[in-house]
Amino acid sequence: GPSEGTDQFTDATNPNLFIMSDLPDISSMKLSELKSELKSYGIDSSTFAEKSEFTSALQNARNTMPRPSTTYREVEQPKPEREEKKSSSSSSRKPSSSSQRTSSSSSSSSRRPAPPPAPTAAAPAPPTTNPINIKKLTAMRSPVTAFQQIKEHPSQNIIGERNNSFLPGSPFSFSLHGSVQESDSAIIRIPDGVCLKINCASVQRKAMDEYLKQKGSIGVSLRLSSEENPEMLPIWTFARDRSSGYTMSGLGLRVCGPRTVRLLAFMEMGYRSGQSVDVHLFGSVSLNKDAFD
């Protein structure tokens, strides 16, 4: 079998390729090495800012996508058999006196060279690559990433993070940690040719009831900012006296890449003790069909 740390397999799309791929430990890789391997998977990493985004996207690519080939050899095609040049009787010795008395037709035919081998059929030319197909294939391998650092206030010490990636065709789900600081918002990166749709937001009843026990607490709001408008604006608010349920469906938020947006679960008052609630987001990730028409 293959040695430890090396995977060997045959590419299902081309059985004539034998592939070997060395997989170094992601945590020990440099940023340039992460970018290089992501590029080999066809993943655009130009929008990534934190190293953890690179490592998360690469880990997801290794787990869910065919590994790119690093070395290969093509199986050689069998060579056409050649016809014998001459008979052994005419190549090794001089003709005898009896053979000299043979007819002129037979002697001339024995001196005639062997016919050349039949030409082999030329291999068909490879089909022309469609640029749209390449762009679509790249988009299929490019995940939407969601990243949020959890900080302690007022010290601003980082005490945790949430980092997920979602390939086209997968459901989207992410928990936003509540905060009163806009700098604590989650960064959502959507690559070219991919769309993110957020349909639903919810809070857990028990966590919200505990939060509302704080003096002056009102609720929590889901806020959004974009590259075009950096102001954090509320999309949905759960309020103590106005909300009849803990779930909001039918948000209908759809964003297509390349885009970077920020989402924040903003705690409406009552955050003095540091207690907060999470806002859970649900949706889907798909290809942008308009980009490939």
Side-chain angles (χ1 to χ4, degrees), residues 8-11 14-20 69 71-73:
Q8 300 182 6
F9 58 91
T10 301
D11 191 343
N14 189 344
N16 290 338
L17 296 184
F18 177 80
I19 303 173
M20 300 182 64
S69 60
T71 60
Y72 71 93
R73 63 177 179 84

Side-chain angles (χ1 to χ4, degrees), residues 105-279:
S105 61
S106 61
S107 62
S108 61
S109 63
S110 64
R111 293 191 298 269
R112 186 177 303 158
T120 57
T128 303
T129 304
N130 190 337
I132 295 180
N133 291 339
I134 295 178
K135 184 178 179 181
K136 185 175 183 180
L137 180 60
T138 301
M140 291 175 63
R141 297 177 175 181
S142 302
V144 170
T145 59
F147 177 76
Q148 183 183 28
Q149 291 182 330
I150 301 175
K151 301 176 183 178
E152 185 180 47
H153 295 287
S155 65
Q156 296 294 316
N157 293 329
I158 298 175
I159 58 177
E161 68 177 35
R162 296 174 181 179
N163 194 355
N164 297 96
S165 59
F166 309 88
L167 285 170
S170 65
F172 176 87
S173 58
F174 191 76
S175 294
L176 291 173
H177 180 73
S179 176
V180 293
Q181 303 289 333
E182 292 189 359
S183 59
D184 293 342
S185 59
I187 302 172
I188 315 296
R189 301 186 188 277
I190 304 143
D192 189 18
V194 179
C195 292
L196 168 65
K197 187 173 183 180
I198 298 178
N199 300 316
C200 176
S202 67
V203 293
Q204 290 185 346
R205 176 186 302 222
K206 183 177 180 180
M208 178 56 70
D209 290 345
E210 288 295 323
Y211 171 73
L212 292 176
K213 291 178 182 179
Q214 296 181 98
K215 184 177 179 180
S217 60
I218 298 175
V220 61
S221 62
L222 173 63
R223 299 190 176 192
L224 167 75
S225 73
S226 64
E227 296 167 296
E228 292 77 9
N229 185 3
E231 183 179 0
M232 278 286 180
L233 299 177
I235 303 174
W236 168 67
T237 299
F238 177 90
R240 177 200 297 266
D241 301 324
R242 298 182 181 180
S243 298
S244 58
Y246 294 86
T247 300
M248 175 61 184
S249 59
L251 288 176
L253 176 62
R254 183 174 182 266
V255 184
C256 295
R259 284 286 186 281
T260 298
V261 298
R262 292 177 178 268
L263 293 171
L264 174 66
F266 185 78
M267 307 309 301
E268 301 287 350
M269 304 296 292
Y271 192 68
R272 298 179 183 87
S273 67
Q275 184 179 359
S276 67
V277 297
D278 288 348
V279 174

